[in-house]
Amino acid sequence: MMIKPKFRGFICTTAHPTGCQAEVNEQIAYVKNQPHIEGPKKVLVIGSSTGYGLASRIVASMGAGAETIGVFFEKPSSGNRTATAGWYNTAAFEGAAQQAGLYAKSINGDAFSNEIKQQTIDLIKKDWGQVDLIIYSLAAPKRVHPVTGEVFSSVLKPIGEAYSNKTVDFHTGKVSELTLEPAVEEEIRNTIAVMGGEDWGMWIDALDEAGVLADGVTTLAYSYIGPEITHAIYREGTVGKAKDHLEATAHEISNKLKSRGGRAFVSVNKAVVTQSSSAIPVVPLYISLLFDVMKEKGLHEGCIEQMYRLFAEELYGEKETRVDERGRIRVDNLEMIEEIQQEVVKRWEQVSSENLSEISDIEGYRREFFQLFGFENEAVDYEADVEPAVQIPSIHSEA
């Protein structure tokens, strides 16, 4: 069948298997062209099928020669419906790993559940014995608590008072004013339950109790701070409360792992185009302006460049891991350069529907959005027939 992009808002309902493979291959090629990393050997990536999680798995495998297990929740194709992009990404990655002679297996299901945690532990025991790096990179709108059964839904809202600012429909390029009403306490609690650190802590506890954590183990979760422009909706909003909880969890996990020489970090990464960031009001406009400024200065990075830098320079470099005053690794350091932020703020004050294409990289934003789903890759013939049913060689699936 011929597969074209179909979307509503920030959700693309189709994905292109050849395009996703091309995107993954480009990330792999980038890593292979960098110096080898003397890093981890057995790596578990929870949330490994897209974005920073996928990039982390690629860097660990192709950059450090690590064996990897990926956990995610994606859907295979069914009839005329394509698989999700993360499914195709994982199939492409596993194929490349096999060609390179590298162990790569995947578990598909609800990573919040006890069942998937146990399935992962069983696989680690069977194939590895122990794991020395755990990346926690889940992005989900809902979570069913594995103990109480309560269903939590996250929201993207300010706290305390209504928030108004500019936003953009990145499909049409229309810049408009947006007002968001503040979250109530129950919404804050729900968002922390979904996006905070509780599940990360549960994963580490389960792995620890099963005896599969290696001495000197490292675990890492990802976060974002961003500029003052987005603070009310992000860092000072419901999501920010969840990220505060995530950071507190990192300290708790570090204390638990200290006796075995282990460590836990939150890595604060740069703003990039993801399905999650596309859903946050104000953020797509900020990213479009930021990308234009950073590209002009030759400092732009995507997920793969940042994850390689994180592994090579911070986690497994020659120098000790650098952290800020709150113990966070700051891979967003280039984004937050004062000169860059000043220019973004200047453009933010000027931007309108009329000048958007002149002072931002809105076209680059759109292109990267569709590339998340395997579209708009120059190496792919989108007029060609393609088979949507693609198998992941190792899959253990609930889907």
Side-chain angles (χ1 to χ4, degrees):
M1 60 187 284
M2 193 181 299
I3 301 173
K4 298 293 183 180
K6 296 179 181 177
F7 63 89
R8 56 178 186 272
F10 57 88
I11 297 173
C12 196
T13 59
T14 55
H16 198 286
T18 310
C20 289
Q21 183 173 25
E23 292 293 325
V24 169
N25 287 344
E26 286 178 10
Q27 293 190 56
I28 290 172
Y30 173 82
V31 173
K32 285 185 171 180
N33 282 328
Q34 308 306 312
H36 179 78
I37 299 167
E38 292 299 330
K41 301 306 176 190
K42 314 284 187 185
V43 180
L44 169 63
V45 184
I46 304 158
S48 64
S49 55
T50 61
Y52 282 120
L54 174 64
S56 300
R57 194 176 188 189
I58 291 171
V59 171
S61 179
M62 303 299 172
E67 299 182 1
T68 63
I69 294 173
V71 179
F72 49 79
F73 186 65
E74 300 290 351
K75 294 183 178 180
S77 63
S78 176
N80 291 328
R81 190 191 71 194
T82 71
T84 52
W87 182 277
Y88 292 140
N89 291 340
T90 302
F93 167 77
E94 280 203 15
Q98 285 187 354
Q99 285 186 344
L102 294 165
Y103 174 106
K105 292 188 178 181
S106 300
I107 293 173
N108 189 32
D110 179 8
F112 295 129
S113 71
N114 290 333
E115 291 76 15
I116 290 298
K117 290 179 176 68
Q118 189 58 53
Q119 197 172 325
T120 305
I121 288 166
D122 292 343
L123 183 59
I124 292 169
K125 284 183 173 180
K126 174 177 170 287
D127 289 359
W128 290 352
Q130 292 187 318
V131 59
D132 57 11
L133 174 64
I134 302 106
I135 299 284
Y136 188 85
S137 185
L138 281 188
K142 292 186 178 182
R143 174 183 174 221
V144 178
H145 197 281
V147 177
T148 67
E150 186 175 358
V151 179
F152 301 102
S153 297
S154 62
V155 297
L156 300 161
K157 289 187 175 183
I159 293 174
E161 57 186 35
Y163 169 70
S164 298
N165 211 326
K166 296 177 182 178
T167 192
V168 68
D169 180 329
F170 60 88
H171 296 298
T172 65
K174 182 182 179 182
V175 177
S176 60
E177 287 286 327
L178 166 116
T179 298
L180 294 171
E181 295 302 315
V184 298
E185 284 301 318
E186 184 66 9
E187 290 174 319
I188 297 169
R189 186 179 78 88
N190 269 256
T191 304
I192 292 171
V194 177
M195 303 176 70
E198 184 184 30
D199 185 62
W200 182 24
M202 286 180 165
W203 268 98
I204 299 304
D205 286 345
L207 294 164
D208 190 18
E209 289 167 12
V212 297
L213 294 180
D215 288 342
V217 66
T218 295
T219 185
L220 192 72
Y222 296 137
S223 187
Y224 181 66
I225 294 176
E228 288 188 16
I229 291 169
T230 66
H231 276 187
I233 185 61
Y234 196 91
R235 194 65 206 190
E236 294 171 1
T238 53
V239 177
K241 289 293 185 183
K243 297 304 183 182
D244 288 343
H245 189 275
L246 188 75
E247 291 170 15
T249 302
H251 293 296
E252 292 172 6
I253 294 172
S254 273
N255 289 333
K256 290 177 183 177
L257 299 178
K258 196 172 293 182
S259 62
R260 67 176 75 214
R263 53 189 188 158
F265 297 108
V266 165
S267 175
V268 179
N269 303 334
K270 168 182 172 286
V272 291
V273 181
T274 65
Q275 193 164 327
S276 298
S277 67
S278 299
I280 305 174
V282 180
V283 170
L285 181 57
Y286 165 73
I287 291 178
S288 299
L289 296 167
L290 175 73
F291 278 17
D292 203 49
V293 175
M294 293 192 77
K295 286 177 180 178
E296 285 178 3
K297 296 185 180 298
L299 295 174
H300 178 67
E301 291 177 321
C303 289
I304 197 67
E305 293 87 359
Q306 282 183 88
M307 292 303 95
Y308 179 83
R309 186 157 63 88
L310 173 64
F311 275 62
E313 296 181 12
E314 301 300 343
L315 293 177
Y316 301 102
E318 295 179 359
K319 298 179 181 178
E320 186 175 346
T321 301
R322 295 170 293 185
V323 296
D324 67 9
E325 71 284 352
R326 293 175 64 172
R328 304 171 296 200
I329 300 172
R330 299 299 296 268
V331 192
D332 67 338
N333 56 329
L334 301 180
E335 174 185 355
M336 301 312 295
I337 292 172
E338 187 174 353
E339 180 185 359
I340 287 174
Q341 286 301 314
Q342 287 176 347
E343 180 61 26
V344 172
V345 169
K346 177 182 173 184
R347 297 186 187 194
W348 183 271
E349 293 169 351
Q350 300 171 348
V351 70
S352 66
S353 302
E354 290 69 33
N355 65 12
L356 178 68
S357 60
E358 298 168 21
I359 65 172
S360 81
D361 188 27
I362 191 66
E363 286 303 322
Y365 188 101
R366 286 194 198 105
R367 184 170 58 252
E368 287 200 30
F369 173 81
F370 284 110
Q371 285 173 343
L372 295 174
F373 305 93
F375 299 105
E376 297 201 20
N377 185 295
E378 293 178 357
V380 177
D381 178 6
Y382 292 102
E383 300 304 314
D385 280 338
V386 63
E387 173 55 60
V390 174
Q391 300 302 312
I392 298 175
S394 75
I395 199 70
H396 298 68
S397 184
E398 277 189 352

